[in-house]
Structures are given as structure tokens and as C-alpha cells.
Amino acid sequence: MPSNKKHLLPNNIQENSEAEWLGSLFRKAVEDIERSGMQGTMLAEAWRFTDLNSFKVFEPIAATNTAVVSCPKFFAELDAVELHISNGALIWKDTFPEYVDLFDLADRKIAPSWLTEALGSAINTEMHPFAAINTTAFSGGVAMRIRKDAVMKKPIILLVDTQANDKIIVANPRVLVVLEEGAVVDLIEVHTGSGIYINNVVTELIIGKNARIGHYKLQTEDTDAFHIAMNAAHCAANSIYDNFALSTGAKLSRNEISATLDGIHTKYSINGSYLGCSDQHMETVTFIDHAKPSCVSHELYKGVLVNHAQGVFQGKILVRKNAQKTNGYQMNRALLLSKEVKINSKPELEIYADDVMCSHGATVGELDEEQIFYLMARGISKKQARAILVSAYVEEAINYINNLLIRDLFTMVASNWMQQNITDTQDINGS
Amino acid sequence: MLVDLIEECNMTLLEIENIHAEVDGRPILRGINLSIEAGRIHAIMGPNGSGKSTLTYVLTGRESCKVTQGSISFCGRDLLSMEPDERAIAGLFLAMQYPVELPGVSGLTFLREAVNARRKVAGEELVDSMEFLKMVRSKANSLGVSDEMLKRSVNVGFSGGEKKRNEILQMAMLEPRFCILDETDSGLDIDALKVVSDGVNSLRSSDRSMLVITHYQRLLDYIEPDLVHVLAHGRIQKTGGKELALQLEQRGYINFIETAA
Ligand SMILES: Nc1ncnc2c1ncn2[C@@H]1O[C@H](COP(=O)(O)OP(=O)(O)OP(=O)(O)O)[C@@H](O)[C@H]1O
Ligand SMILES: [Mg+2]
């Protein structure tokens, strides 16, 4: 890591060191990078599927924000309030209801206590080198708080766009979402961009008692880009967190999602789909920490890989000693549509309580010739028959999205991908 | 790819000549000859494993059934050179003996895709899902297929009889030129047999032909065939009128099979 690390640190880290409210967090992150970097054995294990050498091409050029970005058109029909982050900086915010507090993380002078208490609290930068880099280097981003019992009717769209133009850049956007007790919100996080860049994003969610959040992430980065994401949540008693991640973009992506279920009767749903083509590397790393009794976690990932794409799924469920009556389900299924694709699945259960219901597994599959024939026998072309079957495969996961409008949008994004990437010959000649 | 619809057919609709076919390297069909004119209904009866379903797959182009000899023309076209979807678009329809389950594909999506595939070739406007529900509802309900069933995944968790009704619903929506019914009556209760037969009969017309495969003479009381064939050991052993079915039921196949293979 040492040689890589230097390449990943942009030249603006001074700013964060000077920000008084950020100081201690910053110093710890710097220490963490110095001390362990990526050399610790646990880190090596967690990152063993990611080729860190591929980051050597990067020069430490900090991202500078561009003027305007706009949300993918298909979100237009959602009546949402938008936040735009461009090259790591918050550049646009709609008018939010009075029960939402927004803070631009580029503001280094003074931060409210709800923010300073929460920022960094869901992440151990020692264990996550890229989150440490983000902590030392983020120059902007957004923190928001939804106040007690506020029910946000409109979903929030958080658009994170990175424009590299002719330079290779590193963007370190930072996002913090705090839901006070009983607050309710849907958040859509969309990642787009163009050029060669690293989008090293950290999103933290602090979810209060009885609060409810739907958090739906769409990663459609440029296929030359690198997407490294850490999404960490802390969930209090009786809260409901519905998380879904759909990835179609980036040359290399590593989406790490972790949650601590730190109160009884918490419901955590963490589903997603990765659709990979050409030589994309798509990695999903999840960690669910059942720290308190009677919580439910449900995890279903469905991947589709064509051409030479590679998928990695590392999922771990930890059930602590006092987390009795835990109900945990974890499954990664991948559909392999050519002989050249690769999938590595590593599901893990670590259980210290004795009265729990936990299951996990991983499967790989191909399309069923009999089903293709049945569709074709009704006049549907082979390409379309395959696309229909692949869509159905992926929709099993997408259907876990609670918000129906958002579910439809994600279904549409997936089916657009099918139309572009599913051909009638993939599994035969493996191209 | 040459996909097109058949507007008119003034010749024999289906002409099967000396078809030999194998499954998994095993010869199953050993010289089938069959000619079906437009507007005619032919029935095929025959013992289990005699190759009846294999014949339906040869007609519809399933890859696992390999034709080793012979030819089939469908309204003058070389059927064997066409892909399964091209055959369907050209007007061939198979109501399968064992309809396939499609988890995650709703009945409505499936039907709409099939109808739109045909419309696309015909240069007609495609139907959207709202419009389509209206189109399909009355036909579905007359066949005892509920809205709820249409929304469910195709054939998943359907009873045997529900699967068969669902096949006939597809047939009614697609209005094919040539219908093959492979044991559609198996699994249907007495009332459903009537409902489904009515559905089939309402599709009878002077330019539509049918090939009805069954084990039971009773179906042929509802759907009256012009000719009945006995298929055994991969060949048509005997052909006769409607009364042949009655004789078969009384005397069993053994008396009608001349050459054992
Ligand atoms: N995939 C397969 N592999 C090997 N043999 C097969 C396969 N499919 C069919 N067969 C064989 O082909 C023969 C003909 O089968 P087919 O299904 O055509 O019979 P059938 O006349 O339709 O019988 P039934 O009245 O029981 O429906 C049978 O002996 C069957 O075992
Ligand atoms: Mg059969």
C-alpha cells in the first residue's frame, strides 16, 4: 500500500487538517493510514480481490467542482428534492422542508454538534483505508439531519457526479445522514461521471429509534472510472433500513456496505444487483453486525455477468453473544452468461448467540434452454427471450425495494442494461 | 433472418415428409408422413413414449430433437430452416404437454411480449401494459384464468389444469394459423374440459388447422377431428375417421400396431 497510498492522497489535505471541528477525526485517519495502510492481514483479506496496482496510474490531483450537473432524465418523474455533488463538492441544493437541516461539508469554520457527534462514528478508518483517505481529504459533501418524527414525503435524490475531462482525478465526496427518532425518508444516491477518475465516496447513516429509511443507490459511473464506496450505518432500536444497490458502471467498483444493528427489533434489508459486462470488476462487500437481540436482516444479491466481467461478493453476518432471536438471511446468486466471466463468492457467518435463525449461501447459474425455447415458441426472439429471463432474475432482488416508484425506476435501469448487453449468442461462443 | 407472417395460404398448410428424428442420439421418429389441409383438424393418438411430443418439438424447432432425415413444409416454406420464433410468427403454435415455468415473468408480460413480437413484424403499433390488460381480460376470464393468475409468474405454482388453460389463453391471444394441442385435456376437470374445448372450437375456421394429441376419445367428442392417426414406434401406423378413436378406446393400441420396431 505505501506506494499506492501516496498516489491516492490528493494535494488538498491541508484544508481538513486546519478545520477545527474536523481536526481529531482527520488526525486519527492520517495515523490509521500511516500505521496500518493496507498491510494488516485483515485488510489484506478484505481487499484481496481488488487489484490495488490498478490505482498506480493515478496522480494526486484533487477534484475541482464543475458548474452544473443534472440528474439522469428518468428521475424526472419522481417528485423529489435534489442535492448535487460535483467532483466531491456540494454545488446545488433544492429547497428542503424546515425539518431537514443541511450542512455543506466544505464549510470549515464551525459545524453543528449533531454533525460533529455523528461524523465518522459509524466507520473504523483503521479497517478501511479508502475511508481513511476520504476522511483526510474530503473537501466537500453534505450532511443532513431529519428531525424527530418528521416524515419526508418527497424522496431525496443525491446526485454524485465526477467529471475528469482530460485530467485523471480523485474525488472524495462525503455524505452524512442523521435520522432522529421516528424520522422517515427515502434517499436515492446516484453516481455518474465521465473520464478516468476515482470516486472514493463515504456515506454514513445514523438511524435513530423507530426511524425508517429507504436508501437506494444506483452506480452508473463511466466505464473507465473507479468507484470505491463505503456505506456505513448505525441502526437504533425498532428502526427500519431498506438498502438497495444497483451497479452497472465503473471499470472497477467496490461497494462496501456495513451496518450495526444496535437496538432490538431493528429491520435491515440489504439487497442489490450488479450487472457487469466487458472487463468490469464489480465487488460487493457487506457486513452486518447483529449487536442486539431480535433483529432481522435480509440480504439478497443477484449478479449478471457477461463477456469477461468479474464479480466478487464478500458477505459477513456477525451475531454477537447477546443477540438472541436474531433472524439473518444472506444469499448471493450470480447468472454467468459467458465462459470467460468469473465470480468469487465468500459468504460468512460468525455466530456467538445460541438461539438464532441464520442461513447463507451462494449459487451460480446459467439461463435455462427450456425456458428460452418456451418464449421463442411464442414468437419472441432469442435475444429478447434471454433479456426477459435475465430481467426476471434480477427483479427478484429489485422487488425488495419498498418504494414502488423507485422500484419501477430501478427496474427500468436494469432492463435498459439488458437491452444493451444481452445478446442472443453469449453463452454459446462465450463472447 | 426471414421472419414473416403468412397472410394467405392456398396450398396444403402442413406437409410432413418422411421425418426421422432423434433425441440424445436415440432415434424416436422413424419416417413420419402427414399432410394437413387448411381448416382441418387431425388427431394423433398413441402409446406413451411413441414420439407424439417429439413430433410437436420437431415442428416447433426445439434444439434437443434432431431431425436426421425428411422435410416439412409450412404453407410452402421450409419449416426446418426456421428458428422457433420465426415459426411462431409464421403462425405455428404449440400448447405444450408440460408447460414451462417462468419464475419472475408475469403472465401479462409474457403474453404482451408475444403479441408485440408479432405486431412488430406486422408493422403494427405495440401495446402498452395498461391497454394490454384490457385486451386480455375478457378472453382470460372466459377460459377461467383470473386477473390474479395473469399477474403471477407464468405457470409457477399453477395446478395442472391451470397450466393447460393458460396455454389455450396464449393460443387465443395469438390466433395462430396452425395449432398443436399436446394432451391439453390431461389434467382438466370435467367442467374445464368443456370450457377449454369451447375455447378451442371458437378458434375453428376455414383457414386454421389443428393437430390434437390425446389419450382420450372423450376430447374428440368436443373437438371433432376430420382424421385420426395412430402413432407408434415413431411411425403413423393407421389413419381413419373419428370412429377410429372409439375403436382404439375399446380394443387398445395393440391391434393397430402392425410392425414392432
Ligand atoms: N431428453 C430426452 N432424453 C432421452 N430420451 C428422451 C428425451 N426426451 C424424450 N425422450 C424419449 O423419447 C421417447 C418419445 O417421447 P415423447 O415425449 O415424444 O413420447 P409421447 O408419445 O409424447 O409420450 P406420452 O404419451 O407419454 O406423452 C420416449 O421414449 C422418451 O423417453
Ligand atoms: Mg407426450
Side-chain angles (χ1 to χ4, degrees), chain B residues 30-45:
Chain B
R30 306 152 186 264
I32 301 268
N33 290 290
L34 188 61
S35 164
I36 301 178
E37 304 283 335
R40 293 307 187 98
I41 295 193
H42 288 218
I44 291 186
M45 301 181 82

Side-chain angles (χ1 to χ4, degrees), chain A residues 368-382 384 388-389 391-393 395, chain B residues 60 62 84-85 88-89 93-94 96 100-105 110 113-114 117 155 167 170:
Chain A
D368 182 314
E369 284 304 322
E370 205 182 8
Q371 294 178 342
I372 294 173
F373 171 74
Y374 190 49
L375 288 156
M376 289 180 76
R378 298 300 179 248
I380 296 163
S381 71
K382 191 167 195 177
Q384 184 67 2
I388 290 170
L389 293 174
S391 294
Y393 184 85
E395 277 164 30
Chain B
T60 48
R62 190 165 175 164
D85 55 325
I89 299 278
F93 182 91
L94 166 62
M96 290 175 80
V100 180
E101 297 185 359
L102 302 176
V105 182
F110 178 58
E113 291 279 354
N155 293 324
E167 292 289 285
Q170 293 166 35

Side-chain angles (χ1 to χ4, degrees), chain B residues 206-258:
Chain B
S206 61
D207 56 4
R208 179 173 289 131
S209 310
M210 297 189 189
L211 184 61
V212 180
I213 295 170
T214 182
H215 286 297
Y216 307 106
Q217 191 274 330
R218 198 182 52 208
L219 177 70
L220 305 180
D221 286 340
Y222 290 105
I223 306 171
E224 284 196 36
D226 298 296
L227 284 176
V228 176
H229 310 277
V230 179
L231 179 68
H233 302 305
R235 281 206 195 100
I236 290 182
Q237 308 280 353
K238 193 170 175 71
T239 295
K242 183 175 172 295
E243 68 290 347
L244 181 56
L246 265 175
Q247 292 168 16
L248 282 168
E249 191 140 283
Q250 283 154 14
R251 295 161 57 193
Y253 288 116
I254 196 74
N255 299 299
F256 296 88
I257 301 170
E258 282 144 29

